[in-house]
Amino acid sequence: MNLFELVTAAPPDPILGLSEAFRNDPNPDKINLSVGVYQDESGKSPVLECVREAEKRLAATPGTKGYLPINGHPDYLRHTQALVFGEGNEMIETRCIASVHTPGGTGGLRVAGDFIRHCLGRRKVWVSNPTWANHQGIFKAADLDIDVYPYYDPETHGLNRDGMITVLEDIPENDVVLFHACCHNPTGVDPDADDWETIAKICKERRLLPVVDFAYQGFATGWVDDAVAIRAFSEYGMEFLVCSSFSKNFGLYQDRVGAMHVVAKNADEASRVLSQLKVLVRTNYSNPPAHGSAIVSTVLNDAALRQQWEEELKGMRVRINTVREQFVDELARAGVPGDFSFIRQQRGMFSFSGLSPEVVQQLRDKYSIYLVKSGRINVAGINSRNIGPLCSAIADCLG
Ligand code: LMR
């Protein structure tokens, strides 16, 4: 018998597997609206100008390719803490936050899962229904059990507020609950400030441990406003975890630059937590990749580059919102049955279209249009050339 004979084939990844299928599709008119990567009007995923400038400066500076500290470069950690929790935040000043630079937000979620399992001895993580297709896989890989809480109401295309609150109030003490800070993936439906207040209060009362996935900071209304969930948990004096990422807001997808933050009650606990996080990182990937974090630090250390980053981030946000409007109008013009105006209210990169898995499959088979099976559309992938064919194809499949 061959050594690998018993290895069974795994299914393709529900999101990244689609990019692979898209690349292999010979249809010249194919449209990829699957993976959450920003595209500009020309269909390209641009390198931000501030990032190009930072890379020029880095290339011109004699540097080193030596290892970073296990938890990352102090400069980078300072910047990522300030963005997530707010400059001068008391929890930062009093050293109550243990932070590690992780390979992207996904790396941060996995370190969080390992920390929960190995250092807190907790077993169950509750995720929203629906949630990002990789959340369950990451936490299962960390040997955690998963359950779901209601989140989305397909009737109203909005938040199932009552359903969510009722289940949160019933979750057993000490369980872990995963939240999306903003731009909920895949629905684009976010709790408002009052909802976050209620959620934080319940988590505090029920002694739940929130894990906040903060992958889209700056894509909803701005990088400060988008931290509303972080502020709510902080104001309740809670212990919680945050996984943040620069993939989207700096466009540094392939550089894998994110962080995992543990907010503790005091500096002593945070320092012990950090020592354990370092063990988890060291035994997993040893220490983080440096390039992306050097770019982030270079941009945020320089007032002009920082200003440019904020403008470019705003540019991405504004374009996505404009495309939302155009998409709703074009669907109506193409005669697609139904009211799609809810797409205007959704936030972030995605539109949860309500298209069924059968229609998604039909769009792919007949038109080489790639969406995630849940009906999630990457709005940033729509442009003036493909919006017409896209909406006609949807009209055809729904007609
Ligand atoms: C997505 O949801 O498409 C992105 O977060 C990319 C990914 O890794 O799945």
Side-chain angles (χ1 to χ4, degrees):
M1 188 167 110
N2 297 336
L3 280 180
F4 306 130
E5 205 170 306
L6 297 180
V7 178
T8 55
D13 181 80
I15 297 175
L16 298 185
L18 291 171
S19 296
E20 220 170 294
F22 177 80
R23 272 194 294 274
N24 296 331
D25 189 330
N27 184 344
D29 299 323
K30 59 189 178 178
I31 303 174
N32 188 5
L33 305 176
S34 57
V35 65
V37 172
Y38 178 80
Q39 295 171 41
D40 61 17
E41 168 57 28
S42 71
K44 297 253 159 44
S45 295
V47 177
L48 300 188
E49 284 304 319
C50 62
V51 168
R52 288 159 70 92
E53 176 57 30
E55 285 189 311
K56 268 193 228 153
R57 291 187 194 179
L58 287 168
T61 316
T64 170
K65 293 287 183 190
Y67 294 124
L68 286 184
I70 296 174
N71 58 321
H73 196 288
D75 227 22
Y76 168 76
L77 294 169
R78 185 169 57 77
H79 285 301
T80 180
Q81 283 188 343
L83 279 184
V84 170
F85 298 96
E87 194 81 54
N89 180 299
E90 201 193 326
M91 298 183 309
I92 301 177
E93 303 295 314
T94 52
R95 299 183 175 278
C96 288
I97 306 174
S99 299
V100 288
H101 165 187
T102 55
T106 305
L109 286 160
R110 180 56 195 265
V111 173
D114 287 341
F115 175 67
I116 290 162
R117 177 75 185 94
H118 295 294
C119 304
L120 306 181
R122 301 200 184 186
R123 287 309 299 259
K124 185 171 275 182
V125 179
W126 294 74
V127 300
S128 61
N129 182 22
T131 193
W132 179 45
N134 205 18
H135 274 147
Q136 297 216 9
I138 292 168
F139 292 121
K140 276 186 195 151
D143 196 25
L144 291 160
D145 299 329
I146 316 284
D147 213 328
V148 296
Y149 60 89
Y151 188 82
Y152 181 73
D153 182 347
E155 294 299 314
T156 62
H157 301 282
L159 186 66
N160 179 359
R161 193 169 278 103
D162 293 346
M164 174 177 75
I165 298 297
T166 308
V167 171
L168 289 182
E169 281 176 332
D170 219 35
I171 291 180
E173 273 198 6
N174 291 325
D175 276 4
V176 178
V177 190
L178 181 84
F179 297 101
H180 301 225
C182 67
C183 309
H184 182 270
N185 180 0
T187 66
V189 172
D190 288 336
D192 63 23
D194 291 341
D195 296 326
W196 281 119
E197 166 86 20
T198 310
I199 291 168
K201 187 163 180 279
I202 296 170
C203 289
K204 172 93 176 174
E205 281 168 7
R206 308 240 4 110
R207 300 174 55 79
L208 306 176
L209 174 64
V211 176
V212 185
D213 185 349
F214 204 1
Y216 291 88
Q217 185 171 15
F219 271 74
T221 44
W223 65 268
V224 176
D225 289 348
D226 289 356
V228 56
I230 310 293
R231 284 192 290 275
F233 290 121
S234 308
E235 276 156 23
Y236 271 88
M238 295 198 61
E239 293 146 293
F240 63 105
L241 275 56
V242 184
C243 304
S244 61
S245 169
F246 289 106
S247 294
K248 324 281 169 172
N249 55 17
F250 265 72
L252 292 173
Y253 304 90
Q254 63 179 229
D255 288 303
R256 311 310 299 137
V257 54
M260 207 283 278
H261 313 270
V262 179
V263 178
K265 279 279 185 221
N266 56 54
D268 185 44
E269 285 179 17
S271 138
R272 278 182 278 132
V273 166
L274 182 60
S275 71
Q276 291 293 346
L277 296 178
K278 285 182 178 171
V279 174
L280 295 172
V281 167
R282 176 66 174 144
T283 52
N284 187 348
Y285 53 89
S286 190
N287 48 71
H291 187 64
S293 71
I295 294 170
V296 169
S297 298
T298 305
V299 170
L300 297 179
N301 272 333
D302 181 289
L305 283 184
R306 188 189 173 111
Q307 173 75 25
Q308 190 176 7
W309 167 65
E310 290 189 22
E311 276 158 24
E312 290 185 87
L313 175 59
K314 183 173 175 197
M316 292 192 278
R317 186 171 65 237
V318 168
R319 189 183 107 72
I320 292 174
N321 288 335
T322 308
V323 172
R324 281 189 185 285
E325 298 287 334
Q326 293 166 343
F327 187 35
V328 174
D329 292 346
E330 190 62 33
L331 284 167
R333 215 177 349 257
V336 176
D339 175 10
F340 286 87
S341 56
F342 62 86
I343 289 175
R344 291 200 172 96
Q345 273 79 55
Q346 296 170 338
R347 306 181 341 146
M349 211 180 268
F350 305 116
S351 167
F352 205 51
S353 64
L355 297 178
S356 68
E358 292 73 32
V359 170
V360 170
Q361 190 63 42
Q362 228 182 323
L363 285 168
R364 176 169 164 181
D365 294 344
K366 213 166 157 189
Y367 295 100
S368 297
I369 295 174
Y370 290 74
L371 316 183
V372 175
K373 195 174 169 191
S374 62
R376 189 193 82 172
I377 293 175
N378 175 12
V379 181
I382 302 176
N383 56 48
S384 53
R385 284 178 322 288
N386 66 24
I387 191 166
L390 168 69
C391 294
S392 308
I394 295 174
D396 175 41
C397 295
L398 288 181

